[in-house]
């Protein structure tokens, strides 16, 4: 039963990795189709359902009202640990759009931060769905300026605790801001300069369009399953061969 359980777990983990591979392949197809120009207007994009709006490239015009409202903790980029800077951006209809301006490593000095461009600007980026808490992870208490995830409803309650429907004051999706090259190529406003040392926030990239390591992991789990069967089979054979040997006859006691 122990051997059967172990082999079953290995096979299950292999199938799970295969399923993850298919999920990544589907996501890559979506990102490839929606993230490329031309950018949609914000209203046009928001009219799409959740199944169609994720990773959609958009161009939106408005004003930064708070360029560093909250930060999303426990992020990593280019091998460094840090946070994502989330800004409040007021669009033409008066609603606020949450904008992920990018990554800031832990311990970054204020002199290394680029200011958000002032006045009316046009931002180019990709709409992303609100990130809600699953089984694991910290709970957003609604207090403080550090959040565990970019949950639109939780951040909206910080802006105005009296609202019952977050979408009345905040757009239901948030914007992943594109880098300056993409901004310039699509008519967006590039980031503020802020001096030679100012290099953050560094815009967070879209997920890479590759299959990832899931097929490799699947192969490893299946190999473990085969090895488990082979090892247990060899153990059974050895046990059977040992049991088939004739039992030595006990010698008669020597009488003195």
């Amino acid at each position: 039963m122990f051997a059967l359980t172990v082999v079953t777990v290995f096979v299950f983990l292999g199938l799970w990795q295969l399923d993850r591979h298919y999920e990544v392949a589907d996501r890559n197809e979506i990102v490839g189709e929606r993230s490329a120009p031309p950018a949609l207007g914000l209203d046009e994009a928001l009219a799409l359902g959740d199944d169609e709006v994720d990773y959609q490239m958009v161009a939106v015009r408005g004003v930064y009202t708070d360029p560093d409202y909250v930060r999303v903790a426990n992020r990593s980029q280019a091998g460094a640990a840090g946070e994502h800077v989330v800004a409040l951006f007021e669009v033409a209809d008066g609603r606020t759009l949450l904008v992920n301006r990018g990554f800031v490593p832990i311990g970054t000095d204020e002199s290394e931060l680029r200011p958000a461009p002032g006045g009316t600007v046009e931002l180019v980026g990709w709409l992303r769905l609100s990130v809600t808490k699953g089984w694991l992870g910290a709970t957003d208490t609604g207090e403080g300026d550090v959040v565990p995830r970019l949950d639109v409803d939780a951040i909206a309650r910080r802006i105005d605790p009296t609202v019952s429907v977050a979408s009345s004051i905040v757009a239901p999706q948030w914007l992943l801001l594109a880098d300056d090259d993409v901004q310039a190529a699509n008519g967006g406003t590039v980031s503020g300069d802020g001096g030679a040392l100012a290099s953050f926030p560094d815009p967070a990239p879209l997920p890479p369009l590759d299959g990832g390591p899931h097929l490799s992991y699947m192969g490893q789990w299946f190999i473990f399953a085969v090895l488990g069967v082979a090892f247990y089979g060899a153990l059974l054979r050895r046990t059977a061969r040992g049991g088939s040997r004739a039992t030595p006859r006990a010698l008669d006691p020597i009488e003195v």
Side-chain angles (χ1 to χ4, degrees), residues 4 36 124 133 143 166 175 193 212 245:
L4 179 62
V124 176
K133 183 180 181 300
E143 300 177 353
L175 183 75
D193 184 5
R245 295 174 182 173

PDB file of all heavy atoms in Angstrom, residues 4 36 124 133 143 166 175 193 212 245:
ATOM      1  N   LEU A   4       2.237   1.666  -3.553  1.00  0.00           N
ATOM      2  CA  LEU A   4       1.162   2.105  -4.447  1.00  0.00           C
ATOM      3  C   LEU A   4       0.840   3.581  -4.227  1.00  0.00           C
ATOM      4  O   LEU A   4       0.631   4.335  -5.181  1.00  0.00           O
ATOM      5  CB  LEU A   4      -0.075   1.245  -4.226  1.00  0.00           C
ATOM      6  CG  LEU A   4      -1.310   1.606  -5.077  1.00  0.00           C
ATOM      7  CD1 LEU A   4      -0.999   1.443  -6.554  1.00  0.00           C
ATOM      8  CD2 LEU A   4      -2.499   0.735  -4.676  1.00  0.00           C
ATOM      9  N   ALA A  36      -0.433  43.219 -27.949  1.00  0.00           N
ATOM     10  CA  ALA A  36       0.198  43.925 -29.064  1.00  0.00           C
ATOM     11  C   ALA A  36      -0.668  45.108 -29.504  1.00  0.00           C
ATOM     12  O   ALA A  36      -1.883  45.118 -29.289  1.00  0.00           O
ATOM     13  CB  ALA A  36       0.419  42.970 -30.222  1.00  0.00           C
ATOM     14  N   VAL A 124       0.127  54.173 -21.541  1.00  0.00           N
ATOM     15  CA  VAL A 124      -0.065  52.950 -22.319  1.00  0.00           C
ATOM     16  C   VAL A 124       0.360  51.778 -21.448  1.00  0.00           C
ATOM     17  O   VAL A 124       1.410  51.823 -20.793  1.00  0.00           O
ATOM     18  CB  VAL A 124       0.754  52.974 -23.617  1.00  0.00           C
ATOM     19  CG1 VAL A 124       0.632  51.649 -24.369  1.00  0.00           C
ATOM     20  CG2 VAL A 124       0.300  54.119 -24.516  1.00  0.00           C
ATOM     21  N   LYS A 133      -7.629  37.079  -2.710  1.00  0.00           N
ATOM     22  CA  LYS A 133      -6.973  36.116  -1.838  1.00  0.00           C
ATOM     23  C   LYS A 133      -7.483  34.701  -2.092  1.00  0.00           C
ATOM     24  O   LYS A 133      -8.680  34.475  -2.210  1.00  0.00           O
ATOM     25  CB  LYS A 133      -7.199  36.496  -0.375  1.00  0.00           C
ATOM     26  CG  LYS A 133      -6.495  35.589   0.637  1.00  0.00           C
ATOM     27  CD  LYS A 133      -6.795  36.057   2.051  1.00  0.00           C
ATOM     28  CE  LYS A 133      -6.093  35.184   3.094  1.00  0.00           C
ATOM     29  NZ  LYS A 133      -6.511  33.771   3.023  1.00  0.00           N
ATOM     30  N   GLU A 143      -5.793  48.486   6.015  1.00  0.00           N
ATOM     31  CA  GLU A 143      -5.080  49.551   6.695  1.00  0.00           C
ATOM     32  C   GLU A 143      -3.626  49.588   6.217  1.00  0.00           C
ATOM     33  O   GLU A 143      -3.066  48.584   5.779  1.00  0.00           O
ATOM     34  CB  GLU A 143      -5.115  49.332   8.207  1.00  0.00           C
ATOM     35  CG  GLU A 143      -6.516  49.305   8.791  1.00  0.00           C
ATOM     36  CD  GLU A 143      -6.507  49.002  10.279  1.00  0.00           C
ATOM     37  OE1 GLU A 143      -5.415  48.692  10.804  1.00  0.00           O
ATOM     38  OE2 GLU A 143      -7.578  49.069  10.899  1.00  0.00           O
ATOM     39  N   ALA A 166     -16.971  49.125  -5.165  1.00  0.00           N
ATOM     40  CA  ALA A 166     -15.687  49.748  -5.499  1.00  0.00           C
ATOM     41  C   ALA A 166     -15.676  50.311  -6.915  1.00  0.00           C
ATOM     42  O   ALA A 166     -15.062  51.343  -7.179  1.00  0.00           O
ATOM     43  CB  ALA A 166     -14.563  48.729  -5.333  1.00  0.00           C
ATOM     44  N   LEU A 175      -4.015  48.832 -14.189  1.00  0.00           N
ATOM     45  CA  LEU A 175      -3.161  48.994 -15.356  1.00  0.00           C
ATOM     46  C   LEU A 175      -1.723  48.633 -15.024  1.00  0.00           C
ATOM     47  O   LEU A 175      -1.134  49.176 -14.088  1.00  0.00           O
ATOM     48  CB  LEU A 175      -3.215  50.442 -15.864  1.00  0.00           C
ATOM     49  CG  LEU A 175      -2.403  50.726 -17.143  1.00  0.00           C
ATOM     50  CD1 LEU A 175      -3.132  50.152 -18.351  1.00  0.00           C
ATOM     51  CD2 LEU A 175      -2.175  52.221 -17.317  1.00  0.00           C
ATOM     52  N   ASP A 193      12.051  62.331 -15.502  1.00  0.00           N
ATOM     53  CA  ASP A 193      13.488  62.072 -15.487  1.00  0.00           C
ATOM     54  C   ASP A 193      13.971  61.847 -14.059  1.00  0.00           C
ATOM     55  O   ASP A 193      14.390  60.765 -13.687  1.00  0.00           O
ATOM     56  CB  ASP A 193      14.230  63.244 -16.139  1.00  0.00           C
ATOM     57  CG  ASP A 193      15.720  63.011 -16.237  1.00  0.00           C
ATOM     58  OD1 ASP A 193      16.144  61.891 -15.888  1.00  0.00           O
ATOM     59  OD2 ASP A 193      16.442  63.919 -16.628  1.00  0.00           O
ATOM     60  N   GLY A 212       7.921  27.437 -20.054  1.00  0.00           N
ATOM     61  CA  GLY A 212       8.360  27.252 -18.683  1.00  0.00           C
ATOM     62  C   GLY A 212       8.889  25.840 -18.449  1.00  0.00           C
ATOM     63  O   GLY A 212       9.062  25.051 -19.387  1.00  0.00           O
ATOM     64  N   ARG A 245      13.753 -20.627  -0.956  1.00  0.00           N
ATOM     65  CA  ARG A 245      14.884 -21.472  -0.592  1.00  0.00           C
ATOM     66  C   ARG A 245      14.479 -22.478   0.490  1.00  0.00           C
ATOM     67  O   ARG A 245      13.695 -22.161   1.377  1.00  0.00           O
ATOM     68  CB  ARG A 245      16.049 -20.616  -0.090  1.00  0.00           C
ATOM     69  CG  ARG A 245      16.630 -19.698  -1.172  1.00  0.00           C
ATOM     70  CD  ARG A 245      17.672 -18.768  -0.572  1.00  0.00           C
ATOM     71  NE  ARG A 245      18.183 -17.859  -1.598  1.00  0.00           N
ATOM     72  CZ  ARG A 245      19.004 -16.849  -1.339  1.00  0.00           C
ATOM     73  NH1 ARG A 245      19.390 -16.618  -0.084  1.00  0.00           N
ATOM     74  NH2 ARG A 245      19.432 -16.085  -2.313  1.00  0.00           N
TER      75      ARG A 245
END
